[in-house]
Amino acid sequence: MTKLEGTKVRVRFAPSPTGYLHIGGARTVLFNWLLARKSGGKFILRIEDTDRSRHVGDSVAKILDDLRWLGMTWDEGPEAGGDAGPYFQSERLSLYNEHLARMLESGDAYYALETPQELETMRENARAEKRILSYDRPSPIPTIEEGEAAKRDRKKVVVRFKMPDEDITVCDDILGDVTLKSGQIEDFVIQKSDGFPTYHFACVVDDELMKITHVLRGQEHLMNTPKHVAMQRSLGFTTPHYAHMPVIFNMNGSKMSKRDKEKALKNGDPPPEIDVNDFRVAGYLPEAVVNFISLLGWNPGDDREHFSLGELVETFTLDRVGKTNAKFDREKLLAFNTNWAASLDFGLLFKAFCDFLSASENIPQEIRDADEKKLREALKACSGFRIFPDVIKKVGFVFASDNDIEFDPKAVKKVLAKNENAGYAILDHMITRLEALADWSVGSIERLINDVCEARDIKMGNVAQPLRVAVSGSTISPAIGDTLVLLGKKSTLARIRKCLMNREPK
Ligand code: GLU
């Protein structure tokens, strides 16, 4: 029985504040969160901000916001607090120093005094001899006193971990046993010359002090784990369960990365969505994104694909996370979103729509300022859309002022001017009929259109399309009854009048 058995699951997500949350990071959060929720354990959020040079301004706030958008609530961490805090590594220096002193004392770590030039020479030699490892452990190793004296002399001193001369096996819950032969990792830096710990060291100390039982992270960290295990042994720490998740690839086989955006821009292509925030402002639903990323490396064992967060909590198990790389199929995500938009509870859909309107940059001001009731009705009238920008395309005109409607010349030609202005003739007739309509409801508008169609022996489209072009300027809008009710009688009539005034003389 390992020390961990019988203890409550405690998992963590440990982002470095270097920008927005990447979609791969979101998958890491999700799997950790699911494991915690499933087992009645705790999900901890820890901010790994010890690399001051990589710190990006307000990224912590952005990451927290993205997590909230995804529905990933944390039990301990920034804002939530908790007994194992502080949860920002930059506020935990004294804890790291305590354990660092122990390692220096035991001889498992040492002050390294090489100058940058000396390190460069080591690297050059390694390159010339085609060796991967370049750092040569000093002999003799500097004593603690020598290290401290060098520090007092303001020399750039780091602390390195003395990598033990033994094979290290990581027992990975997904990959099985992964052994790294001795001699494959050089003595690595655990405290930088600015006094901050490196990621490896801070992570190991915090995983112990925060009583983390399972570390689920991307496979790109697999080669870090032997370093972590070696330090845990040196410090007498418990080794948590490790599970390294498959890497996420683009459909063309390249690794999905933040750099894909720069590459696309360089080629003059629109940048693909990569960060959680990109998907948010592009008009995806959090439910669809969560559902989609849950299947990046995990499967339920049957062909079921539609999962709410609650259903994932019920169904998710770590033993169904695979070893093979996951593919990020954007067409599939779009299909998931379409499905979710059609099936989601309307209250949640509307909430997500409002979030999209405030998060996205290209929303016309009149839509941002629109009243809630009208927005709700507009969204209701737009069933069958893929992502929220489709809604804007379909009903955006409703929110414009009547004078600003511009008529798409192609639509005018095809729907109004064709057959000797047949569409305009319908509008001439409809304007008086609509003016006389007392009950401005979908039912009575549809009845009126039906009556006109029957009386003239024409199809519904022959009436609905001219009306649509007149009130929206284009051939795209929700069902005609919904469209006119959304607009209201006054605007409908004003727009038809404007359209008729624009008629080209024959
Ligand atoms: N701060 C690390 C990262 O953002 C965390 C890695 C880990 O989970 O240990 O990649």
Side-chain angles (χ1 to χ4, degrees):
M1 167 141 162
T2 70
K3 277 207 239 172
L4 285 170
E5 274 168 65
T7 51
K8 277 226 162 207
V9 166
R10 286 176 65 82
V11 291
R12 74 340 184 248
F13 178 58
S16 305
T18 53
Y20 282 108
L21 178 63
H22 181 268
I23 197 76
R27 196 261 320 251
T28 302
V29 183
L30 175 64
F31 287 13
N32 276 286
W33 186 91
L34 288 172
L35 196 64
R37 293 293 168 263
K38 184 164 188 86
S39 57
K42 295 274 188 256
F43 174 63
I44 292 135
L45 180 62
R46 175 171 87 217
I47 307 296
E48 302 207 325
D49 58 348
T50 59
D51 191 345
R52 311 309 281 170
S53 61
R54 289 177 64 223
H55 197 120
V56 177
D58 55 351
S59 20
V60 174
K62 285 177 173 161
I63 292 170
L64 300 193
D65 202 33
D66 289 340
L67 292 176
R68 275 189 279 262
W69 183 73
L70 290 168
M72 303 289 99
T73 44
W74 54 100
D75 305 306
E76 295 175 27
E79 296 176 6
D83 292 343
Y87 294 90
F88 284 81
Q89 289 189 326
S90 58
E91 295 168 21
R92 299 172 64 81
L93 296 191
S94 60
L95 295 166
Y96 307 129
N97 287 339
E98 211 177 282
H99 293 283
L100 191 86
R102 284 209 290 133
M103 281 166 122
L104 283 166
E105 220 33 72
S106 70
D108 283 350
Y110 59 90
Y111 286 116
L113 314 178
E114 292 85 5
T115 61
Q117 289 85 336
E118 284 168 327
L119 291 172
E120 187 45 41
T121 310
M122 285 186 196
R123 275 193 288 271
E124 273 166 20
N125 291 343
R127 262 197 298 273
E129 292 164 28
K130 296 202 165 41
R131 280 184 287 121
I132 298 170
L133 305 187
S134 68
Y135 183 74
D136 304 317
R137 183 179 295 165
S139 175
I141 280 176
T143 62
I144 296 182
E145 292 69 33
E146 284 166 340
E148 274 160 13
K151 279 216 282 193
R152 278 196 299 278
D153 292 345
R154 300 191 171 271
K155 295 216 172 99
K156 291 212 162 203
V157 177
V158 300
V159 177
R160 286 185 186 258
F161 179 67
K162 201 163 138 205
M163 202 53 202
D165 189 15
E166 62 192 24
D167 297 357
I168 294 186
T169 299
V170 175
C171 311
D172 188 288
D173 286 353
I174 296 171
L175 303 170
D177 286 357
V178 181
T179 300
L180 201 76
K181 291 264 170 230
S182 75
Q184 302 222 48
I185 300 176
E186 63 195 15
D187 294 351
F188 55 92
V189 176
I190 57 177
Q191 189 190 53
K192 293 170 282 183
S193 57
D194 63 4
F196 277 81
T198 56
Y199 151 67
H200 300 296
F201 180 51
C203 170
V204 162
V205 172
D206 288 346
D207 284 347
E208 169 75 11
L209 299 186
M210 295 180 179
K211 299 191 168 60
I212 300 303
T213 57
H214 295 71
V215 172
L216 264 73
R217 57 187 175 198
Q219 255 176 40
E220 63 274 15
H221 287 289
L222 182 61
M223 284 305 124
N224 294 330
T225 310
K227 296 183 183 176
H228 299 183
V229 171
M231 283 188 281
Q232 285 152 1
R233 289 183 188 160
S234 156
L235 287 161
F237 288 171
T238 306
T239 292
H241 283 275
Y242 281 103
H244 291 91
M245 293 175 282
V247 176
I248 303 173
F249 279 80
N250 291 312
M251 293 306 277
N252 67 7
S254 62
K255 194 177 158 211
M256 195 174 169
S257 103
K258 291 198 186 214
R259 278 183 293 277
D260 292 351
K261 282 200 221 175
E262 291 153 36
K263 270 190 243 158
L265 286 171
K266 241 188 223 155
N267 295 337
D269 296 329
E273 294 92 8
I274 300 284
D275 297 321
V276 169
N277 186 64
D278 298 335
F279 292 95
R280 184 176 180 179
V281 301
Y284 285 88
L285 287 163
E287 289 79 2
V289 171
V290 163
N291 186 175
F292 179 75
I293 61 177
S294 75
L295 297 167
L296 294 175
W298 172 81
N299 71 78
D302 53 35
D303 51 14
R304 206 172 139 204
E305 285 200 316
H306 189 277
F307 290 96
S308 67
L309 209 45
E311 288 163 337
L312 283 171
V313 172
E314 270 168 37
T315 323
F316 181 82
T317 53
L318 204 49
D319 61 5
R320 296 220 59 92
V321 178
K323 296 180 191 172
T324 43
N325 299 330
K327 283 226 161 144
F328 199 92
D329 183 346
R330 290 173 187 274
E331 289 297 318
K332 191 166 170 176
L333 171 59
L334 212 47
F336 270 45
N337 206 74
T338 311
N339 248 320
W340 269 101
S343 61
L344 194 63
D345 162 78
F346 187 75
L348 292 175
L349 187 70
F350 184 63
K351 192 169 156 244
F353 184 50
C354 293
D355 175 79
F356 163 74
L357 295 181
S358 55
S360 198
E361 275 171 14
N362 304 322
I363 307 296
Q365 196 55 40
E366 63 265 20
I367 300 185
R368 283 188 206 278
D369 295 342
D371 79 69
E372 196 184 307
K373 189 166 166 278
K374 199 158 176 184
L375 278 176
R376 268 180 188 276
E377 284 162 5
L379 181 61
K380 241 181 218 154
C382 281
S383 57
F385 66 91
R386 297 172 317 156
I387 45 177
F388 285 135
D390 299 344
V391 174
I392 305 294
K393 268 185 223 144
K394 205 166 175 183
V395 285
F397 69 89
V398 167
F399 301 92
S401 84
D402 297 337
N403 278 331
D404 289 345
I405 294 299
E406 279 172 15
F407 301 97
D408 168 17
K410 267 200 211 137
V412 168
K413 197 166 164 208
K414 189 168 153 227
V415 178
L416 300 177
K418 213 166 83 181
N419 296 333
E420 299 186 352
N421 281 343
Y424 281 119
I426 289 289
L427 291 180
D428 280 330
H429 178 70
M430 287 310 290
I431 193 153
T432 40
R433 300 292 300 267
L434 288 167
E435 233 162 355
L437 193 69
D439 170 28
W440 198 259
S441 67
V442 174
S444 66
I445 290 170
E446 282 177 357
R447 261 191 308 279
L448 168 63
I449 295 176
N450 266 333
D451 290 349
V452 172
C453 289
E454 266 173 31
R456 301 187 162 212
D457 196 20
I458 53 177
K459 289 201 199 101
M460 175 92 173
N462 293 110
V463 180
Q465 274 308 72
L467 284 172
R468 184 167 278 124
V469 173
V471 299
S472 75
S474 80
T475 51
I476 301 160
S477 89
I480 196 65
D482 290 328
T483 303
L484 301 196
V485 168
L486 263 175
L487 267 177
K489 186 169 181 176
K490 197 166 146 257
S491 278
T492 300
L493 297 176
R495 290 179 187 200
I496 298 175
R497 257 180 229 119
K498 182 179 167 190
C499 179
L500 286 170
M501 268 162 43
N502 276 7
R503 170 174 20 187
E504 302 261 324
K506 267 201 217 161

